[in-house]
Amino acid sequence: MAQDIRQLLQQQGVRLTRQRQILLELIDGSGRHLDADSLYLLAKEKDPKINRVTVYRTLKLLKQGGLVDELDLMHFNGEQHYYETRSKQEHAHIVCLRCGKVEEFFGEPLERLRRQVETKLGFQILIARTEVGGYCSECQIARAREISEVTRKPTAKPNHASG
Amino acid sequence: MAQDIRQLLQQQGVRLTRQRQILLELIDGSGRHLDADSLYLLAKEKDPKINRVTVYRTLKLLKQGGLVDELDLMHFNGEQHYYETRSKQEHAHIVCLRCGKVEEFFGEPLERLRRQVETKLGFQILIARTEVGGYCSECQIARAREISEVTRKPTAKPNHASG
DNA sequence: GTTAGTGCAAACCTTTTGCAGCTCT
DNA sequence: AGAGCTGCAAAAGGTTTGCACTAAC
């Protein structure tokens, strides 16, 4: 719950303003990964006077405090960043480049990787991010259909062609 | 060598212009990860008339053709993207957030992860990217020094305070 | 000789900054 | 009361687009 985050913030001497409460609720509450713009739009429903800049400033704050993680989701839909509250369980984000669905993948390979980087390189990890782009099972089928439609050349049988 | 890439491009009916040759050389030849701006600056040394836009267009082309991979390198230095010629061997990028050094990490965890995502989710992977941010071994030491300097409060006993 | 590619200027999108006024503690 | 935070306007950074000209095949 966002409750934990609130306490952490207070400890850091950060004021818990109305705007920040709204944004925290949204990031933590919505089941999906929101970007700054979506977040702004949603926040505006609760407080029509809230400003985009406040959204950016809050996200920066939460990011720096290690309370949220920033994702790119393979830039599948532009250059925005997406946000999620930092969870204890490391996971990869699997992004369908056709429908945009994002699946989370948990598993030992991620922990193994982390350990190996720490021991083999003597690296101190602060953030780790694994993103995978491709096609989800549904979209693989849909794409196969689409491609076969395109491949069917229009120069062939003009039976019921383009017009 | 960039030779392979050239052939692939020709196959795709893409013209191999002077500008593209220069950019290919640079991406493939420089031992580091270049962003569009660095690439532009370097290309300008070889062809002072080359335009930034051409750099962006070429990168997009190579990206779409699957010939180069785009990296974010944890946005350790802004929002640019970095590029590398796509290698057969999957690897993670380990970025030091203090000195900016980028290490490449090869290992089974990455292949395991890939296989698991494919089998467990039935996902068709086109691109995968693992980026890790933190401090390299040298910078861990440097940071420890920096922090202890800051922690030494000027108001306290200068003897061996904050202990 | 076509058609794809280039350069230039200007637009675009996301994010940041400067500053005056507001508000949380 | 005072530092911290907000909103507004404007700027910044990175990238894309429209269009006329140029060059690769």
Side-chain angles (χ1 to χ4, degrees):
Chain A
M1 189 53 193
Q3 215 54 38
D4 314 316
I5 291 184
R6 294 183 184 195
Q7 294 191 0
L8 278 167
L9 283 179
Q10 309 240 42
Q11 283 168 24
Q12 295 181 29
V14 171
R15 288 187 188 168
L16 190 49
T17 62
R18 183 172 36 81
Q19 293 92 330
R20 288 180 184 166
Q21 298 197 41
I22 293 173
L23 293 169
L24 274 176
E25 289 293 322
L26 286 172
I27 298 173
D28 206 64
S30 99
R32 53 217 184 83
H33 300 100
L34 300 168
D35 63 358
D37 189 59
S38 316
L39 206 43
Y40 168 60
L41 262 25
L42 288 170
K44 234 163 94 162
E45 292 177 6
K46 304 199 175 184
D47 175 358
K49 313 219 64 175
I50 203 169
N51 195 278
R52 258 202 171 74
V53 174
T54 300
V55 175
Y56 283 113
R57 283 195 280 232
T58 301
L59 287 172
K60 190 174 211 174
L61 186 84
L62 296 174
K63 209 184 347 174
Q64 286 175 345
L67 300 174
V68 305
D69 277 330
E70 191 178 68
L71 312 173
D72 294 299
L73 299 184
M74 293 319 276
H75 304 296
F76 91 100
N77 192 31
E79 290 308 307
Q80 337 73 321
H81 298 135
Y82 300 84
Y83 299 88
E84 70 180 6
T85 58
R86 175 169 274 197
S87 72
K88 327 83 218 128
Q89 261 279 46
E90 193 155 347
H91 55 278
H93 291 96
I94 320 293
V95 187
C96 179
L97 301 175
R98 185 174 172 278
C99 69
K101 185 172 65 186
V102 179
E103 302 187 62
E104 310 205 322
F105 179 88
F106 299 81
E108 347 71 73
L110 292 167
E111 280 125 43
R112 272 170 180 276
L113 180 77
R114 173 179 276 268
R115 280 197 302 274
Q116 290 192 11
V117 169
E118 286 172 341
T119 58
K120 290 190 182 176
L121 302 182
F123 198 87
Q124 180 193 352
I125 298 177
L126 295 182
I127 14 176
R129 185 189 295 171
T130 295
E131 299 187 336
V132 176
Y135 297 118
C136 68
S137 40
E138 290 98 63
C139 286
Q140 284 168 44
I141 297 166
R143 263 185 69 82
R145 219 183 354 257
E146 286 164 11
I147 288 169
S148 79
E149 275 165 18
V150 171
T151 311
R152 228 181 288 147
K153 289 204 183 143
T155 44
K157 265 192 187 170
N159 218 359
H160 43 359
S162 68
Chain B
M1 190 52 193
Q3 216 53 38
D4 313 317
I5 291 184
R6 294 183 185 195
Q7 294 190 1
L8 277 166
L9 283 179
Q10 309 239 41
Q11 283 168 24
Q12 295 181 28
V14 171
R15 290 184 188 171
L16 190 49
T17 61
R18 183 173 35 81
Q19 294 89 329
R20 287 179 183 165
Q21 299 198 41
I22 292 173
L23 293 169
L24 275 175
E25 288 293 322
L26 286 172
I27 298 172
D28 206 65
S30 98
R32 54 217 184 81
H33 300 99
L34 300 168
D35 63 359
D37 188 60
S38 315
L39 206 42
Y40 168 61
L41 262 25
L42 288 170
K44 236 164 93 163
E45 292 177 6
K46 302 198 177 184
D47 175 357
K49 311 219 67 176
I50 202 169
N51 195 277
R52 257 203 172 73
V53 173
T54 299
V55 175
Y56 283 113
R57 283 195 279 232
T58 301
L59 287 172
K60 190 174 211 173
L61 184 86
L62 296 173
K63 208 184 349 173
Q64 286 173 347
L67 300 175
V68 305
D69 277 331
E70 191 178 70
L71 312 173
D72 294 298
L73 298 186
M74 293 317 278
H75 304 296
F76 92 100
N77 193 31
E79 291 308 306
Q80 337 76 318
H81 298 134
Y82 299 84
Y83 299 87
E84 69 179 7
T85 59
R86 176 169 272 197
S87 71
K88 326 84 217 122
Q89 261 278 46
E90 192 156 348
H91 55 278
H93 292 96
I94 320 293
V95 187
C96 179
L97 301 174
R98 185 173 171 280
C99 69
K101 185 173 64 188
V102 179
E103 302 187 62
E104 310 205 321
F105 180 88
F106 299 81
E108 346 72 74
L110 291 167
E111 280 124 45
R112 272 169 180 275
L113 180 77
R114 172 179 276 269
R115 280 197 302 272
Q116 289 192 11
V117 168
E118 285 172 342
T119 59
K120 290 191 181 176
L121 303 182
F123 197 87
Q124 180 193 351
I125 298 177
L126 295 183
I127 13 176
R129 185 190 295 171
T130 296
E131 298 186 337
V132 176
Y135 297 117
C136 68
S137 39
E138 291 97 63
C139 286
Q140 285 168 44
I141 297 166
R143 264 186 68 81
R145 220 181 356 255
E146 285 163 13
I147 289 169
S148 78
E149 276 164 19
V150 171
T151 310
R152 226 180 290 149
K153 289 205 183 138
T155 45
K157 261 193 190 171
N159 219 0
H160 48 328
S162 79

